[in-house]
């Protein structure tokens, strides 16, 4: 991650924490998120596994253990 990407994402998350609205305010935010997404895609092998959806579901369950109710910006979807 470049320093510019980190700075733009830091400002994004600060704004989100302040107003609770998870939306992009500039092309730079989209570009920074895309760069992070590319880095994640390069690291993971699970997206190519047959049980990918189940692996994602299990990871979500582990990450959200101990939380109650919906956190700011969360709008549940039925797809994986």
């Amino acid at each position: 991650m470049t320093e510019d990407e980190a700075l733009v994402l830091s400002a994004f998350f600060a704004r989100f924490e302040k107003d609770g609205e998870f939306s992009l305010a500039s092309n730079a935010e989209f570009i920074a998120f895309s760069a992070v997404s590319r880095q994640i895609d390069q690291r993971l092998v699970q997206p190519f596994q047959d049980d990918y959806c189940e692996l994602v579901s299990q990871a979500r369950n582990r990450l959200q253990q101990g939380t109650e109710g919906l956190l700011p910006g969360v709008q549940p979807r039925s797809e994986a």
Side-chain angles (χ1 to χ4, degrees):
M1 176 182 301
T2 69
E3 190 168 327
D4 285 345
E5 291 163 350
L7 186 59
V8 166
L9 290 176
S10 177
F12 169 85
F13 286 115
R15 187 179 73 241
F16 172 64
E17 287 179 13
K18 180 181 176 188
D19 64 21
E21 185 175 328
F22 200 94
S23 63
L24 304 180
S26 71
N27 287 343
E29 291 174 352
F30 180 89
I31 291 166
F33 273 112
S34 294
V36 171
S37 176
R38 280 191 304 278
Q39 291 173 11
I40 292 169
D41 288 345
Q42 290 172 352
R43 184 180 185 287
L44 293 178
V45 295
Q46 291 89 337
F48 304 104
Q49 296 177 343
D50 292 337
D51 60 347
Y52 173 70
C53 290
E54 179 60 26
L55 293 171
V56 171
S57 178
Q58 291 171 0
R60 285 181 177 151
N61 289 335
R62 286 190 299 272
L63 286 172
Q64 64 190 5
Q65 275 183 335
T67 60
E68 293 186 24
L70 295 178
L71 299 175
V74 176
Q75 297 177 355
R77 297 174 183 222
S78 59
E79 70 268 6

